[in-house]
Structures are given as C-alpha cells and as structure tokens.
C-alpha cells in the first residue's frame, strides 16, 4: 500500500478570502458587514474566529467556525482558484504555524 500526503496551508489573507467566499454561498450563516479580521485556534479543537464590523456602527460581531465550516471554506477557495483536490482522498484540518492547513491523503494499492 502506498499513501500520498499533501498539505495546503492557508495564510490569514487566504483564509479571509475563503470566509468571504463561504459567506456568498451561505449568507444566512455568516454575519453581514465588513470582515475585520480572522484568527485560528487549535484548542480544544481547530476553529476559526471571524470578526465582522457592522455597517454604520463601530460594533463587531464575532463568529466561530467549526471544522465543517472551515473545511467548506477552504474547499470552496480551492475550487475557485483551481487548486486540485481529489474527490476520493481523505481530507482533514490541522493548525500549522498559526494557519489552517488542509491535509489530503490518498491510498493506492499496487497492481499485480
């Protein structure tokens, strides 16, 4: 058995773009307003926090994205930017140097 492993690390700017892309696809799940900042948390599990400034006010709404939402964000980002992701591969999230990392693994069985 052979396993291929690939890792895509998203900078904070790329993660901001991914959250905004997710918002266009799911406007009911993400607050309106200007995205002020995002940050990553590894404890107790991988999470992304996004802070949105309410339009016309100096108030901020904070949103915590869990694994499922983060995965949706980064996969949408990869599709938009034509970064290939094999459909049949296993995908999971990690935190790498304070950034979100999408880890892709695929197993191959050698032929006869």
């Amino acid at each position: 058995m052979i396993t291929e492993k690939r890792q895509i690390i998203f900078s904070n700017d790329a993660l901001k773009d991914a959250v905004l892309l997710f918002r266009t696809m799911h406007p009911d799940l993400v607050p309106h307003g200007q995205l002020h900042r995002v940050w990553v948390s590894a404890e107790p599990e991988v999470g992304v926090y996004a802070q949105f400034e309410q339009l016309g006010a100096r108030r901020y709404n904070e949103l915590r994205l869990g694994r499922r939402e983060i995965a949706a964000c980064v996969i949408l980002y990869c599709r938009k930017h034509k970064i290939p992701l094999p459909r049949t591969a296993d995908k999971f999230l990690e935190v790498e140097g304070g950034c979100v990392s999408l880890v892709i693994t695929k197993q191959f069985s050698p032929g006869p």
Side-chain angles (χ1 to χ4, degrees):
M1 180 84 55
I2 296 171
T3 302
E4 175 186 4
K5 181 178 178 182
R6 194 164 60 117
Q7 184 177 24
I8 302 170
I9 300 171
F10 294 83
S11 68
N12 267 0
D13 286 338
L15 193 55
K16 273 182 156 181
D17 290 345
V19 170
L20 291 173
L21 182 60
F22 182 74
R23 178 170 67 181
T24 63
M25 302 297 287
H26 303 282
D28 54 320
L29 300 177
V30 181
H32 296 286
Q34 183 176 353
L35 179 56
H36 183 65
R37 67 184 185 122
V38 297
W39 65 97
V40 179
S41 171
E43 299 296 329
E45 65 176 41
V46 177
V48 168
Y49 292 87
Q51 190 177 58
F52 293 87
E53 185 175 355
Q54 288 181 351
L55 298 175
R58 292 291 300 168
R59 293 189 46 211
Y60 295 95
N61 290 324
E62 206 170 274
L63 172 69
R64 183 185 186 282
L65 301 169
R67 285 186 181 271
R68 292 181 79 176
E69 294 89 3
I70 300 166
C73 288
V74 297
I75 289 170
L76 281 169
Y77 182 92
C78 287
R79 285 183 183 158
K80 179 182 178 191
H81 294 280
K82 299 190 183 345
I83 299 168
L85 297 176
R87 288 181 187 213
T88 59
D90 294 324
K91 300 165 191 76
F92 62 93
L93 298 169
E94 291 182 341
V95 175
E96 178 81 26
C99 297
V100 169
S101 169
L102 177 63
V103 180
I104 302 124
T105 59
K106 185 171 172 99
Q107 293 187 346
F108 298 93
S109 298

